[in-house]
Amino acid sequence: MKKEVLGISFDDLTREEAAQAGAALLEEDRFHYVVTPNPEFILAAERDGEFRRVLNEADLVLADGIGVVYSAKIQGTPLKGRVPGIEFAADMLACLNERGGRLYLLGAKPGVAEEAGRRLVERYPGIILCGTQDGYFRDEEAVLLKVAAARPDLLFVCLGAPKQEKWMARWGKHTGARMAIGLGGVLDVFAGKVERAPETWQKLGLEWAYRLKKEPQRAGRMVRLPLVLVKAAGKRMKRRGRSAGGAAL
Ligand code: UDP
């Protein structure tokens, strides 16, 4: 079931349900793409119609940030919970491992995708790492040809938003992959370059705070994020006002 949060239609799924839905998509012999919006995406999509369309047309739209879950609740359309992109990615890797599928890693700084790939194959020995490419390229089409030649089943696209989502929507179906997932900085984590927040912080919904502590240069980017909560509150008040008006009629 889809639930709209500030213009983006999210799939209302638990992590387990998302993993099941993802596994079913991996079984189908056609291209699918998955997006993992956080509050930064929501704010960017307000000003970028193409980004909004690409997000809403994805096969799975997973609520990556706790800010999305809070906004949904404030807005009066609660979601079951958050499905962090990195956890969905791990679930898809486990699936691919079982079927001996092919993985391609696209994105991050030179050398990072290779290191992430080396570590992932160690952890999931059934997976065939069929290629890697850093995310600082000019010629999108040349990269597409390189990815397609590697014949991946699963493709991680880690170019930051909205570049990764637009790349998947534009080129994804020509890669021959069954699934592409837009995963931001996840290759940096898989490569051991960036540490994910400890579980206690994750459980408290404070992953964003841990990230800010580790990467204080993100403060500029993050300062606008509470805006989504304010916007969600505004939306709820508007809806309440409308239904109170309706009741008076
Ligand atoms: N990146 C890239 N190409 C670009 C811009 C960014 O490959 O042109 C990579 C960057 O190196 C990083 C990831 O995309 O690995 C984006 O990370 P960010 O922290 O912005 O994403 P988040 O995890 O917040 O979604």
Side-chain angles (χ1 to χ4, degrees):
M1 185 193 166
K2 292 272 188 186
K3 280 193 180 164
E4 194 241 296
V5 183
L6 298 170
I8 308 299
S9 287
F10 285 87
D11 286 283
D12 187 18
L13 301 172
T14 62
R15 175 180 172 181
E16 291 69 29
E17 289 167 345
Q20 276 171 14
L25 297 182
L26 265 182
E27 286 300 312
E28 280 178 32
D29 195 11
R30 66 179 180 89
F31 178 70
H32 309 86
Y33 72 93
V34 179
V35 296
T36 59
N38 61 32
E40 268 187 278
F41 286 47
I42 294 181
L43 293 178
E46 267 187 354
R47 285 171 279 119
D48 179 344
E50 187 200 345
F51 186 34
R52 190 165 60 242
R53 180 183 59 74
V54 162
L55 290 175
N56 283 327
E57 287 178 1
D59 296 275
L60 273 180
V61 183
L62 304 175
D64 179 75
I66 193 71
V68 176
V69 174
Y70 286 155
S71 299
K73 195 169 173 193
I74 291 172
Q75 205 192 263
T77 48
L79 292 167
K80 286 177 183 166
R82 99 188 175 100
V83 184
I86 193 164
E87 292 176 13
F88 179 74
D91 291 336
M92 293 305 97
L93 288 170
C95 263
L96 201 68
N97 190 43
E98 269 175 36
R99 60 206 296 282
R102 299 166 70 83
L103 173 69
Y104 197 102
L105 303 177
L106 170 61
K109 300 212 171 98
V112 174
E114 284 90 333
E115 178 59 18
R118 202 185 56 71
R119 292 181 181 215
L120 288 175
V121 172
E122 231 171 71
R123 203 180 315 160
Y124 302 96
I127 288 179
I128 298 158
L129 181 69
C130 64
T132 59
Q133 160 69 45
D134 72 71
Y136 295 85
F137 51 84
R138 286 255 171 98
D139 188 342
E140 293 203 344
E141 209 164 341
V143 168
L144 162 70
L145 294 176
K146 194 176 158 193
V147 175
R151 294 184 297 107
D153 296 304
L154 178 62
L155 169 63
F156 289 175
V157 186
C158 302
L159 308 171
K163 199 171 167 187
Q164 61 199 13
E165 287 74 22
K166 290 181 179 174
W167 193 93
M168 291 192 293
R170 175 146 196 223
W171 302 111
K173 55 183 177 297
H174 303 296
T175 61
R178 288 165 184 241
M179 180 188 286
I181 320 175
L183 287 166
V186 157
L187 288 183
D188 298 296
V189 178
F190 282 148
K193 308 271 177 222
V194 170
E195 200 190 323
R196 204 182 163 204
E199 217 168 297
T200 38
W201 290 64
Q202 291 177 33
K203 284 204 175 118
L204 290 169
L206 289 174
E207 200 156 353
W208 60 272
Y210 188 81
R211 207 153 177 206
L212 185 58
K213 181 169 158 256
K214 289 280 171 179
E215 301 168 63
Q217 71 278 11
R218 295 180 81 88
R221 260 171 79 171
M222 290 174 83
V223 77
R224 290 181 68 242
L225 299 187
L227 242 188
V228 290
L229 305 180
V230 176
K231 284 175 188 275
K235 199 159 171 192
R236 180 161 191 166
M237 297 319 272
K238 217 190 256 171
R239 194 172 322 127
R240 217 182 241 183
R242 262 205 308 269
S243 58
L249 287 174

